[in-house]
Amino acid sequence: MQDVTHHTDPDLLLAIRAADDRSEPAFREVYRRYARRLFLYAAKVTGSQQSARDIVQDVFLKFLQKVREGEVVDSTAAYLMTINRNLCLNHKRDSRLEYMEPDVLPEIPVESDHDAEEIRRHLGLALNALPEQYREPLMMQVYGGLSYAEICEATGESLPTIRHRISRAKQRLRDILIPLFAQ
């Protein structure tokens, strides 16, 4: 198993489970496919690139351990995101920061110059203004690259619930960000 880039996820999982000379290249390929998505999601949730790096490393260690123990994995992306999400939630809980949902969405100042850094800053503020139930599935979709079905698997929520929450999140982001571009 020299070139594993064209192997399917189930084939890679079988190679990892075998714990032989095929295992390391297969594991590296799974890492290559999913590490960036997991990092982007963890960085958004934790607000720290260093914490996100640590979490992603832990995700892959847990993943390797579970696969070698014979854990059945239907969707590698959803399985990894489930571990990632749980570790991110644990990190938030353990950091003992107080997260409060705003009663009213914050006003974002409107500026005429729309440089990329300002837009990113405003988008970050708008994302943070979303209730957690809307923010989390949207971030899994946008930063984690997960499909609706994979988000359902990762969160344990139904497909209609996830579709509704992502739709509401996008609508609220539009409502917050439209004034920036209405000039």
Side-chain angles (χ1 to χ4, degrees):
M1 181 182 262
Q2 292 295 345
D3 181 24
V4 295
T5 57
H6 301 293
H7 286 74
T8 65
D9 285 354
D11 291 340
L12 294 173
L13 293 174
L14 287 173
I16 292 169
R17 192 170 287 125
D20 57 19
D21 61 336
R22 303 172 301 152
S23 185
E24 185 179 340
F27 181 77
R28 287 179 187 269
E29 178 60 18
V30 170
Y31 184 89
R32 185 193 67 76
R33 288 180 188 178
Y34 298 105
R36 184 171 190 279
R37 293 185 202 183
L38 299 172
F39 174 78
L40 289 172
Y41 175 81
K44 276 296 184 188
V45 171
T46 64
S48 164
Q49 288 189 2
Q50 184 57 49
S51 294
R53 282 187 202 98
D54 294 343
I55 287 170
V56 170
Q57 186 176 31
D58 288 346
V59 166
F60 281 100
L61 288 173
K62 288 182 184 303
F63 169 76
L64 181 61
Q65 178 184 14
K66 291 296 186 180
V67 169
R68 288 206 170 146
E69 289 173 357
E71 182 85 20
V72 176
V73 177
D74 294 327
S75 167
T76 303
Y79 189 80
L80 288 168
M81 185 56 79
T82 300
I83 298 170
N84 195 34
R85 174 182 180 250
N86 290 338
L87 291 175
C88 287
L89 293 174
N90 290 346
H91 174 79
K92 281 175 62 173
R93 181 198 66 220
D94 295 344
S95 66
R96 298 184 192 211
L97 293 176
E98 186 175 332
Y99 291 90
M100 296 176 19
E101 298 300 337
D103 294 328
V104 179
L105 297 176
E107 282 195 36
I108 299 175
V110 177
E111 299 175 19
S112 59
D113 184 26
H114 301 301
D115 68 347
E117 189 57 40
E118 277 298 303
I119 291 172
R120 272 193 289 280
R121 186 175 71 77
H122 291 307
L123 181 58
L125 289 171
L127 276 171
N128 288 334
L130 293 175
E132 183 68 25
Q133 67 180 8
Y134 298 145
R135 181 176 50 243
E136 183 181 41
L138 179 66
M139 288 185 354
M140 284 182 173
Q141 183 184 52
V142 173
Y143 296 104
L146 296 184
S147 68
Y148 284 111
E150 291 167 331
I151 296 168
C152 291
E153 188 175 327
T155 62
E157 298 287 348
S158 69
L159 183 59
T161 299
I162 292 302
R163 285 181 190 255
H164 172 75
R165 288 180 179 172
I166 290 174
S167 175
R168 291 288 303 233
K170 289 176 179 177
Q171 181 58 49
R172 286 190 178 192
L173 285 178
R174 275 191 293 274
D175 293 345
I176 295 169
L177 295 173
I178 286 290
L180 288 174
F181 304 101
Q183 295 181 352

